[in-house]
Amino acid sequence: MIINHPILGPRDAQEFTYLGDASLIERPDPQAENADETFHDYVYLRDNPAGEHQELWYHEQGDRSWLVVTRNTLTHEITDVQLARDAARARGRSK
Amino acid sequence: MSDMTVNSGVAFTSDRAAKGTAKGQSHRLTGGLVERAKPLSFTFDGKTFQGFEGDTLASALMANGVKLMGRSFKYHRPRGVLTAGSEEPNALVELRSGARQEPNTRATVAELYDGLEAKSQNRWPSLEHDMLSINDKLSNFLTAGFYYKTFMWPKTFWEKLYEPIIRRAAGLGSASGEEDPDVYDKGFLHCDLLIIGAGPAGLAAALTAGRSGARVILTEEDFLLGGRLNAESFGLGDMSGMDWVGQTQAELAAMDNVRILPRCTVIGSYDHGVYGAVERLADHVLAPEPGKPRQILWRIYSKRALLCAGSTERPIAFENNDRPGIMLAGAMRAYANRWAVTPDQRVAIFTNNDDGHRTATDLIAKGVEVAAVVDTRADAPTVEGTELFAGAQVVDTKGKLGLEWIRIRTASGVTRDIPVGALGVSGGWNPNVHLTCHQRGKPEWREDIAAFVPAGDIPVGMSVAGAANGAFSTSAALRTGADSAVASLAALGFDVAPADLPEAEDAPVNVTPFWFVKEGKGRAWIDQQNDVTVKDVKLAHQENFRSVEHLKRYTTLGMATDQGKTSNMGGLAVMAELAGKEIPQIGTTIFRPPYTPVAMGTFGGRSRGKEFRPTRLTPSHKWAAENGATFVEVGQWLRAQWYEKPGETHWRQSVDREALATRSSVGICDVTTLGKIDVQGADAATFLNRIYANAFGKLAVGKVRYGLMLREDGICYDDGTAARFAEDHFVVTTTTANAVVVYRNMEFARQCLWPDLDVQIISTTEAWAQFAVAGPKSRDLLRKIVDADHDISNEAFPFMGCAEITVCGGVRARLFRISFSGEMAYEIAVPTRYGNAMMEALMEAGEAFGATPYGTEALGVMRIEKGHVTGNELNGTTTALNIGLGRMVSQKKDSIGTVNSRREGLNAEDALNLVGLKPVAATEPVVPGSHLMAETGEVHAKTDQGYVTSAAYSPHIGSSIGLGFLKNGSARMGERLRAVNPLQGQEVLVEVVSAHFIDPEGERLRG
C-alpha cells in the first residue's frame, strides 16, 4: 500500500507501523465517575468495520509522525490522510 | 536476429544440409528462431545431447526425439511435455547439480545453455523403468481423498510409517540440501505505465506509450519479446511476425523512457499499483557472473498497469490422454514454428475450435505428416492436406512410453485406430486473468468465446488488453493494446494517439465448448500434475465436495507448481455437468500470487545468514573483542556476555569472577544498548508524569528517579530511569528490548493524546556510549577520569544524582549515580565516537583497583542478587503490585494505565508477589520456568502457586538463587515449596526468601 503522507507525499506502507482504530485518540477522562467502565471500553472494545475505517499509522522509518488514515478495509482504498496531531485537536484534545 | 531464418516452410526431410548441422537432432525441422550456428551440448539423465541457442530444454529434447521427460506425481505414469510455456504441468526436471541443483524446473521455460545438466524426477531406478509405476496398477486405491481415508489408523503410524512412504513415493524433485551459492537482489522501480507481457497487445501498447514520453516498463516472462507472434506463421502487414517484433523492439530500445525487462515475470498485483516481479538474470547461463545476482525481485510502483498476459490453451480430457506425445495443439505449433521441432513425424489433431486447424496447416507446411484432424464439431471446416473427422472424438490411446496410436469414434459411430506418435489437442483458449483477480476480482464467463474474462474488482489502475481480455485475434490484440495505452495515459494527462499498427489476421473465435469425452471406463486426466482424473472429480462430487474450493482441496486439482493453468477449467466443466449447472454458476477458485513459482532465495534476497537483519555493535565492541569477550545477541545488538581470562575453562568461572570483582572492587560494563530518549520542553515534567506510573513532577534538577511504565490496561511494560538536567530537560532510559516501543508510545502520547503539550522528544540511544562503573571502588576510579572541577564526592554527588560534566580533559559527558548491581555505582555517558576510547581509559584508570570488565551474565547475576526486575519479570502479564512496586503507582495524578491498574482482578488478595527462591539443598539448581507447588500433594495446574522467572548461580550466596512470582508471596517468607519442571522431570525443594539477596537495606548504594 502507499500512504500519502501530508508532509512527505506518497510513501510505501512498509515505512509505517500500524496501530489500529483511531478511536485510541479519544482517551477517556480519568476523573469521570465511570472511568473504570470508559477505560475498559477504550482499551478493549473496537469496531471492526467492513468498509471505511479511520486508523492510526506511525511513520516509524520516516519522520515519526502519527497519521490518521481513512482506509476502506475491503478495498484498501485510502481516501484521507491527516497528521494525528491535527486529528486529535479536531477531536478536542489539547494538553 | 538477422541470421535466423523465420518460418521458411521447408520440409525437414528435404533439407539435408540443415539436418547435417543438427547432429543427432532427428526431429529438427527447418526455419525457426534457433541459432544453428551456435550448437549447445547438454545432458539429460546423464546422456549427452545437442541443441541450439534459442532452444528451451523441452524443445532441444524434442529435437532429439525424446518424448518421455518425467513421471507423474502419484501414479508414476510416463509423461512428456504438454505445453510450450510456464503453464507446463509435466515436464519438470532437476536442473544443474551440486549446490545449484534446482528441483521442479519446467523444461518448457528452461533456456538451453552449453553444459546444461538435467535429471528426470520421481522415478527409480530410471525414467524408463520406474518401480513405483506399480502405483498405476493400484489406482483404484489412490483416488481423490485417499490420504484422508486410507491412513487414518493407527494414529502413530502416520508420522512413522505412512508419511515417510508417501513422501518418497509421491514426490517431485529433490533439493540439494546445500546452501544456495548464488545471491538474489531486491529492487524498486517506478513508472507511469507498467505493461505486463510483450506479445502483440503489449508491444502495440508499449509503442504507443513510449512515443508519449511517459515512463514505461515492459515486462516479458519469455527470453524473447513477441509472445505468440514467435509461434505463428502468419505475417503482420508485409512482414513476418518476428520481423515486426524485431523492428518494434529496436524502436522501443531506443527510447530512454522505456525499460524492457525480458525474462521477468510479474508474479502479483498488490494494493495501490504495486506489482511484484521476478527477473531471471542468470538462469540461462551455467552460473551467474561473480558478484552478480541470479535473480532480482522487483517491486514496481506504477501509476497505471496494462495486463497483456495473453491466454493459455486448455486440453480436452479423454481416456489415456496423458501419454508422452500428447500435447496442446498450440504448443505443437509453437515447437514447429519457433523452435523448428516436432514431437513426431506423424501426428494428429483433436480440437473443438478453428485454432486447432492452424496447427495442422502449419505442421503440414513444415513437412510433418498430419494423419487426421479430429474435430468434435459436426460442421468443422476442412483442412487441406489431411483427413478431417468432423463430429468425431478421440476415445482412447495406446503406447508404452509414448503415444503409438489413437482410437477415434467417428460421427457415424464406428471406431478407427490411427497410428500416430503425437497428438495436438485444443479445447479452446483461456485468457490469463490471474493478475486481475489478486484483489478479489472475479472473472466473468463469456459465452461467445467459452471462457472467463476479467471482471469485477480488478486492481485499481489496471486495464487488460489482447487475449488476456478475450480479444484473441492478432488484429484485436494490437488494436486493444494501443487503445488501452492511450486510455491509461489520458488518465495521467498524456495526450497520445495510438501507434500505427500493421494489418494482421482477424479470425473470429470459432469454438464449441467440449471438455471431456464421456466414452470409456479408463482414466481421463484433467490435471496431469496432480494426477486428477474425471473420475476423481466425480468421486468428490459424489462425496459431496461441491464447492469449487472444496473440490480443489479434496482432489488437489489445480495445486502445485502449475496451479492448474491448464486444468482448472476442465475440472470446473466436469463439476458443472455433474451438478447440472452452467460453468459461470460454479465459478473459479481464487487466484493468488505468485503467478508462477518463485524460489525462496528470491524472496529472501540478501537478507540471509548474518545479513538477515542488521547487527548493532556497542561502542566498546572493538575493545571487548580484543579482550576475550564472548558475544551474545540481544535483539539486534551484540553484547559482551563474559570476558574469558587465560586459564578459565568454563563460562561460569568467568562470570563468577566478574561478579565477585565488581562487588569487592569495581567492574565496568557497556550499557549503551539501553534506550535513551531526550525529553525537552516547558511541559516535559507534565509529560513524564503521564508516561510513568510514579510521580515525576517534583523531581529536582540534578536528580534521577526510577520510573515504571504501564500499558493502558494496567500491566507493566517497561522500567528505567529519568534524569532531570534542567527544568525543561530530562533524559529517559528504557530497557534494551523496549527502546523502540517506548519511544513509539511516547510519540503517540505526545501527538495523539496531548497534542498541545510543549514537549519534544528524540531518541539518542546511538548518540551516547554509556558504561556502568559499579563497586566500592567506582568513585575512586571515576575521580581519575572526571575533570577536577567536578566534585563527585558522596556529599556533592549522592545516590541518584546526575550531572553534565567533562572527562579526560574536556570531553563532554553525563554522569548518573544509579545502580543496577546494588553496589555503589555510576553510569557515565560520552558521545559515541569516544566509546571505545572511554572503555580503554576506564580500564587504565582502574588498573590499580583491579577493575574488571563484566558482561551481560554477571550483570544478570548481580541484578538477581539484588532483586531487580527485567523482561523476565516484566513479562506482559504482571502488574506493579506483582513486582512489589504497587505503592509506586501514584493515585494522585493521571498516567497511562493508572485507571485500569485499579481493576479488581489485578488486585486480588492472593495476587502474585515477587519473591526470592533458594534451594534447600545448596547443590541443587533453581530452574527458570519451573512452577511452584506446595511441598506435598498433587502437581497440577489447579494447585499451581506461581512460577520461577529468573535464576542464576550466586557466587555471593554460594548456591543457585532465583526470582519468581508466588501467590501472596510477600506473606510466605520461609515457606518451603517444590519448584517443578515436568518437561525435564525436575523437582527442587526451595525456600521462599526476600528478593533482595544482597544488601536489603540499600546501604552499599549510598556509600
Side-chain angles (χ1 to χ4, degrees):
Chain A
M1 288 198 298
I2 293 168
I3 295 174
N4 196 8
H5 191 299
I7 299 169
L8 301 171
R11 312 298 310 176
D12 194 292
Q14 268 199 330
E15 296 174 4
F16 293 81
T17 305
Y18 178 76
L19 179 62
D21 193 340
S23 70
L24 285 167
I25 289 173
E26 289 154 28
R27 188 171 183 271
D29 176 6
Q31 305 299 332
E33 204 133 293
N34 61 344
D36 51 346
E37 280 170 38
T38 55
F39 267 84
H40 171 273
D41 294 357
Y42 171 68
V43 171
Y44 294 107
L45 300 185
R46 301 275 189 284
D47 288 335
N48 184 20
E52 205 164 81
H53 190 222
Q54 294 202 318
E55 50 199 26
L56 286 158
W57 291 76
Y58 176 51
H59 200 204
E60 189 144 45
Q61 307 299 323
D63 75 339
R64 305 186 302 279
S65 287
W66 278 93
L67 305 179
V68 174
V69 175
T70 305
R71 183 179 65 106
N72 186 310
T73 58
L74 291 176
T75 63
H76 294 183
E77 187 190 5
I78 292 174
T79 48
D80 187 55
V81 184
Q82 295 180 40
L83 290 176
R85 186 187 292 272
D86 296 339
R89 284 181 180 131
R91 294 179 192 215
R93 297 208 67 90
S94 176
K95 286 189 165 194
Chain B
M1 246 168 275
S2 57
D3 53 344
M4 294 187 182
T5 37
V6 181
N7 305 333
S8 68
V10 181
F12 70 97
T13 45
S14 66
D15 190 345
R16 291 181 189 282
K19 257 190 114 178
T21 57
K23 198 167 54 177
Q25 298 182 38
S26 55
H27 291 58
R28 185 70 75 177
L29 307 173
T30 54
L33 295 174
V34 289
E35 290 262 27
R36 277 159 221 273
K38 293 186 181 167
L40 305 172
S41 181
F42 69 101
T43 65
F44 180 61
D45 281 342
K47 200 175 159 198
T48 303
F49 295 98
Q50 301 275 316
F52 293 127
E53 190 175 295
D55 264 325
T56 61
L57 174 59
S59 70
L61 284 172
M62 198 180 282
N64 287 278
V66 177
K67 280 185 207 168
L68 176 62
M69 297 189 196
R71 288 275 174 174
S72 75
F73 182 67
K74 201 158 82 174
Y75 301 127
H76 291 252
R77 299 262 296 186
R79 291 284 166 79
V81 71
L82 182 71
T83 74
S86 62
E87 68 271 31
E88 177 61 28
N90 281 344
L92 304 183
V93 298
E94 283 170 7
L95 210 58
R96 300 182 168 87
S97 59
R100 287 199 170 88
Q101 177 178 314
E102 192 182 349
N104 311 328
T105 307
R106 290 148 294 166
T108 50
V109 293
E111 251 178 280
L112 199 67
Y113 54 84
D114 203 44
L116 179 146
E117 275 178 85
K119 288 194 289 286
S120 58
Q121 305 185 155
N122 203 31
R123 84 288 187 269
W124 186 85
S126 74
L127 192 54
E128 286 76 19
H129 306 281
D130 178 8
M131 298 295 280
L132 282 163
S133 56
I134 186 75
N135 282 8
D136 197 33
K137 304 279 187 290
L138 300 174
S139 62
N140 283 346
F141 302 99
L142 296 173
T143 52
F146 85 102
Y147 285 95
Y148 310 113
K149 291 169 190 161
T150 315
F151 303 107
M152 294 296 286
W153 183 91
K155 208 170 151 189
T156 51
F157 275 32
W158 176 253
E159 211 175 281
K160 295 195 177 100
L161 190 63
Y162 299 144
E163 194 185 349
I165 289 174
I166 292 169
R167 291 243 177 261
R168 210 171 309 138
L172 295 169
S174 54
S176 72
E178 291 173 53
E179 194 180 336
D180 189 337
D182 296 328
V183 296
Y184 300 82
D185 259 330
K186 290 183 186 176
F188 300 83
L189 295 173
H190 298 260
C191 62
D192 294 311
L193 181 64
L194 168 66
I195 301 169
I196 303 162
L203 287 173
L207 215 45
T208 303
R211 289 171 185 171
S212 77
R215 288 183 308 164
V216 177
I217 292 173
L218 175 65
T219 64
E220 169 54 53
E221 70 170 345
D222 201 337
F223 52 97
L224 294 185
L225 306 192
R228 275 310 291 188
L229 293 178
N230 298 324
E232 303 294 355
S233 55
F234 48 73
L236 266 67
D238 51 9
M239 303 172 105
S240 74
M242 196 54 220
D243 284 348
W244 184 81
V245 172
Q247 176 190 300
T248 306
Q249 184 168 357
E251 184 175 345
L252 292 171
M255 295 176 176
D256 290 343
N257 56 322
V258 178
R259 181 164 182 162
I260 305 172
L261 295 172
R263 300 188 179 97
C264 181
T265 307
V266 172
I267 55 166
S269 163
Y270 305 93
D271 293 305
H272 304 167
V274 180
Y275 289 81
V278 176
E279 185 182 7
R280 296 169 295 277
L281 293 154
D283 279 11
H284 61 294
V285 290
L286 204 51
E289 284 176 53
K292 294 284 168 60
R294 178 163 168 192
Q295 298 183 356
I296 299 178
L297 181 64
W298 291 111
R299 182 184 294 219
I300 304 175
Y301 296 85
S302 70
K303 288 184 182 151
R304 295 273 154 173
L306 181 55
L307 181 69
C308 305
S311 56
T312 301
E313 198 168 17
R314 58 202 187 206
I316 297 170
F318 52 90
E319 203 171 318
N320 292 312
N321 62 335
D322 65 330
R323 295 194 198 285
I326 301 177
M327 62 176 61
L328 290 167
M332 190 181 262
R333 186 159 87 239
Y335 283 116
N337 287 332
R338 173 171 171 181
W339 288 287
V341 293
T342 182
D344 204 88
Q345 285 151 26
R346 186 178 158 83
V347 305
I349 303 295
F350 181 29
T351 184
N352 68 346
N353 67 85
D354 285 0
D355 195 64
H357 292 232
R358 279 185 178 153
T359 302
T361 307
D362 283 6
L363 265 76
I364 291 165
K366 284 273 183 182
V368 177
E369 185 186 350
V370 178
V373 171
V374 183
D375 196 316
T376 59
R377 300 170 299 173
D379 58 350
T382 54
V383 196
E384 230 170 275
T386 179
E387 191 174 357
L388 171 77
F389 295 89
Q393 299 172 11
V394 176
V395 295
D396 199 0
T397 72
K398 208 143 180 97
K400 195 160 171 281
L401 294 174
L403 184 67
E404 287 165 23
W405 51 259
I406 57 171
R407 171 166 293 170
I408 68 168
R409 187 170 298 282
T410 66
S412 60
V414 300
T415 61
R416 198 155 142 191
D417 293 348
I418 304 173
V420 287
L423 176 69
V425 182
S426 180
W429 292 76
N430 292 324
N432 289 329
V433 301
H434 308 67
L435 289 166
T436 69
C437 303
H438 285 178
Q439 286 161 51
R440 296 167 59 120
K442 279 274 177 201
E444 211 169 68
W445 183 255
R446 238 178 76 187
E447 200 63 48
D448 61 323
I449 57 169
F452 281 104
V453 292
D457 295 323
I458 77 168
V460 175
M462 182 194 273
S463 357
V464 193
N469 208 25
F472 283 137
S473 79
T474 309
S475 175
L478 292 167
R479 200 176 56 246
T480 57
D483 290 350
S484 300
V486 169
S488 296
L489 292 169
L492 298 176
F494 290 93
D495 188 17
V496 63
D500 303 328
L501 300 172
E503 288 285 316
E505 64 82 25
D506 202 10
V509 176
N510 212 337
V511 60
T512 303
F514 187 90
W515 307 100
F516 64 104
V517 172
K518 292 175 190 68
E519 185 175 340
K521 289 182 180 158
R523 282 166 295 165
W525 269 263
I526 289 179
D527 181 343
Q528 298 201 26
Q529 179 150 95
N530 290 291
D531 268 340
V532 179
T533 65
V534 173
K535 274 186 186 173
D536 292 319
V537 178
K538 287 182 177 167
L539 184 66
H541 179 79
Q542 197 178 307
E543 297 185 354
N544 219 19
F545 291 91
R546 294 187 182 188
S547 135
V548 57
E549 298 285 358
H550 287 160
L551 171 74
K552 174 174 175 173
R553 271 107 195 135
Y554 195 59
T555 63
T556 69
L557 174 84
M559 293 189 178
T561 63
D562 70 338
Q563 284 292 295
K565 288 188 178 68
T566 56
S567 61
N568 282 340
M569 274 308 303
L572 295 179
V574 175
M575 210 172 158
E577 179 162 316
L578 294 170
K581 290 180 178 170
E582 299 294 320
I583 288 174
Q585 289 174 279
I586 297 286
T588 61
T589 51
I590 294 173
F591 296 87
R592 294 186 175 87
Y595 177 63
T596 50
V598 182
M600 293 307 290
T602 313
F603 285 122
R606 302 260 177 177
S607 306
R608 63 187 225 195
K610 203 169 125 338
E611 314 303 335
F612 180 69
R613 58 179 183 186
T615 303
R616 301 169 81 181
L617 302 181
T618 61
S620 66
H621 185 86
K622 182 168 170 280
W623 186 91
E626 289 163 359
N627 286 275
T630 293
F631 293 100
V632 59
E633 281 183 37
V634 181
Q636 295 173 345
W637 293 98
L638 279 186
R639 295 188 73 178
Q641 197 171 11
W642 62 80
Y643 295 81
E644 189 182 308
K645 283 241 165 162
E648 289 172 345
T649 55
H650 189 278
W651 64 270
R652 262 278 310 285
Q653 287 175 295
S654 311
V655 173
D656 289 359
R657 171 183 51 74
E658 290 169 17
L660 288 167
T662 302
R663 292 216 188 280
S664 63
S665 179
V666 59
I668 299 164
C669 182
D670 189 326
V671 294
T672 304
T673 63
L674 295 180
K676 305 178 202 75
I677 300 168
D678 207 81
V679 181
Q680 298 194 34
D683 294 324
T686 306
F687 179 69
L688 290 182
N689 236 352
R690 294 178 189 172
I691 296 293
Y692 284 115
N694 49 319
F696 272 82
K698 288 178 185 152
L699 180 65
V701 173
K703 288 289 180 191
V704 189
R705 185 170 288 172
Y706 173 81
L708 182 66
M709 290 185 196
L710 308 183
R711 305 189 307 222
E712 197 67 273
D713 64 359
I715 301 292
C716 302
Y717 90 97
D718 203 62
D719 67 348
T721 60
R724 194 168 199 171
F725 285 104
E727 279 300 319
D728 59 356
H729 183 199
F730 290 80
V731 171
V732 164
T733 66
T734 74
T735 61
T736 300
N738 282 332
V740 170
V741 179
V742 169
Y743 184 81
R744 182 190 304 158
N745 290 347
M746 284 170 70
E747 283 289 11
F748 175 78
R750 195 176 76 87
Q751 297 176 40
C752 301
L753 299 182
W754 302 295
D756 292 329
L757 282 183
D758 178 4
V759 61
Q760 304 294 327
I761 64 175
I762 188 88
S763 167
T764 58
T765 304
E766 296 195 332
W768 294 89
Q770 195 151 321
F771 300 91
V773 182
K777 299 289 184 195
S778 57
R779 183 157 52 230
D780 295 340
L781 187 156
L782 283 172
R783 277 199 172 114
K784 300 173 116 180
I785 293 282
V786 173
D787 291 343
D789 44 343
H790 303 289
D791 183 359
I792 59 166
S793 68
N794 202 28
E795 296 69 37
F797 197 74
F799 181 54
M800 297 310 258
C802 68
E804 292 188 287
I805 57 165
T806 56
V807 296
C808 303
V811 175
R812 185 179 164 219
R814 286 169 173 173
L815 190 63
F816 309 85
R817 183 142 173 217
I818 52 180
S819 174
F820 197 45
S821 57
E823 297 301 320
M824 173 171 78
Y826 299 81
E827 286 185 15
I828 184 159
V830 290
T832 300
R833 64 183 181 281
Y834 299 119
N836 204 58
M838 189 66 197
M839 187 70 190
E840 286 169 4
L842 287 167
M843 287 304 296
E844 199 186 313
E847 213 175 334
F849 315 107
T852 301
Y854 66 94
T856 54
E857 284 297 324
L859 180 90
V861 168
M862 289 189 279
R863 74 98 189 162
I864 293 170
E865 288 174 340
K866 182 64 184 171
H868 280 154
V869 294
T870 62
N872 295 22
E873 288 75 32
L874 305 179
N875 59 17
T877 70
T878 50
T879 63
L881 175 76
N882 296 146
I883 62 170
L885 301 177
R887 273 176 297 176
M888 258 180 74
V889 180
S890 170
Q891 301 300 328
K892 291 184 200 147
K893 57 149 186 148
D894 171 39
S895 66
I896 288 170
T898 309
V899 172
N900 275 325
S901 75
R902 295 184 202 126
R903 285 182 291 167
E904 204 182 321
L906 299 181
N907 294 280
E909 270 191 26
D910 66 344
L912 296 169
N913 296 144
L914 186 71
V915 296
L917 299 163
K918 247 170 88 169
V920 172
T923 53
E924 290 201 289
V926 181
V927 181
S930 299
H931 275 247
L932 301 170
M933 303 283 168
E935 201 174 351
T936 57
E938 195 188 359
V939 172
H940 191 275
K942 69 186 181 222
T943 58
D944 191 85
Q945 298 290 301
Y947 56 97
V948 181
T949 52
S950 305
Y953 177 81
S954 164
H956 299 92
I957 305 296
S959 77
S960 172
I961 59 169
L963 298 176
F965 290 110
L966 176 65
K967 283 181 179 173
N968 196 25
S970 307
R972 295 170 72 173
M973 292 299 141
E975 200 175 306
R976 287 182 169 191
L977 297 164
R978 282 175 298 165
V980 301
N981 178 358
L983 282 178
Q984 291 170 359
Q986 246 170 345
E987 231 181 72
V988 176
L989 198 60
V990 295
E991 186 186 332
V992 182
V993 296
S994 157
H996 310 294
F997 293 89
I998 294 271
D999 190 27
E1001 310 304 324
E1003 283 166 9
R1004 297 189 188 188
L1005 295 168
R1006 295 176 173 82

